[in-house]
Amino acid sequence: MRNALREPLAAQPVTLPGIALAVFKATRPKQATKNLFVFAALVFAGRAFVLADLIKSVLAFLLFVVACGSVYLFNDLLDVEQDRQHPTKCHRPIASGALPAGAAWVAAALLAIAALVGGYALGPLFALIVAAYLVLQVAYCVRLKHVVLLDVFVIAAGFVLRAVAGGVAIHAHVSQWLLLCTLQLALFLGFGKRR
């Protein structure tokens, strides 16, 4: 009998709607709440009710959701063999075979490009922060997640970049206190999860 944890599930008919749904699931939409940090500058600058700034912040949030989706796809492509042997991760779209690797690579690239291009619409500096976030996360997926302590600091840096990007999107000053509080909260959550 085939071990379902070590091999992908039986190939199923590949359809465009099926691939689209698998890509959506692989981007882990439930994790989108992590990107709420982009709203910190909006709130602490007292501009939450300024419509133009609110719209820019929502766009910044959505662009980080797209960027994160790209990273999740990339991570799952790298970890596919380990995920297939994991009791719960084996059900992820790529590990289960619901999302072909080729389609996942294309989707990851398109999402990253969309995040960068969309980011440029909010300003070159915002796009640069998105690019820095993507580079940091790729480094995390490839190597840094295996380095004790450094892995948590990289995760925390991702949250700090979100907070900075939120301020850049609305041209608001991001105080050192906001950055420090964001870093401390992210480290607390990261070390709590590791424990």
Side-chain angles (χ1 to χ4, degrees):
M1 176 182 275
R2 181 177 63 83
N3 186 339
L5 295 179
R6 296 185 180 277
E7 298 178 23
L9 300 177
Q12 300 182 11
V14 177
T15 63
L16 193 56
I19 289 177
L21 180 60
V23 167
F24 178 73
K25 289 180 179 178
T27 59
R28 303 183 203 167
K30 291 181 181 179
Q31 300 293 329
T33 54
K34 293 177 179 178
N35 300 301
L36 291 173
F37 276 78
V38 301
F39 291 102
L42 179 75
V43 172
F44 288 106
R47 290 156 59 177
F49 298 104
V50 178
L51 184 59
D53 290 339
L54 180 59
I55 291 171
K56 289 178 183 176
S57 294
V58 169
L59 289 174
F61 168 80
L62 293 174
L63 288 169
F64 265 92
V65 169
V66 170
C68 287
S70 173
V71 172
Y72 285 131
L73 283 163
F74 179 71
N75 181 70
D76 288 354
L77 282 161
L78 294 183
D79 292 348
V80 65
E81 294 304 324
Q82 298 95 310
D83 287 353
R84 285 179 179 156
Q85 299 179 42
H86 193 276
T88 56
K89 293 180 181 180
C90 66
H91 299 293
R92 289 179 175 173
I94 299 171
S96 70
L99 179 59
W105 281 113
V106 170
L110 289 176
L111 288 174
I113 292 168
L116 290 169
V117 172
Y120 194 80
L122 282 177
L125 184 54
F126 184 89
L128 185 62
I129 294 170
V130 172
Y133 175 83
L134 288 170
V135 169
L136 182 67
Q137 295 307 310
V138 166
Y140 175 83
C141 293
V142 172
R143 177 74 182 108
L144 299 180
K145 68 181 176 182
H146 303 295
V147 182
V148 177
L149 292 181
L150 186 57
D151 63 334
V152 178
F153 279 94
V154 170
I155 292 170
F159 284 99
V160 172
L161 285 174
R162 289 174 174 97
V164 172
V168 168
I170 62 171
H171 305 288
H173 173 69
V174 179
S175 72
Q176 294 176 346
W177 287 110
L178 177 57
L179 296 180
L180 184 61
C181 289
T182 300
L183 178 63
Q184 294 295 327
L185 178 58
L187 287 173
F188 173 76
L189 295 173
F191 282 118
K193 183 178 180 182
R194 287 296 178 269
R195 181 173 180 272

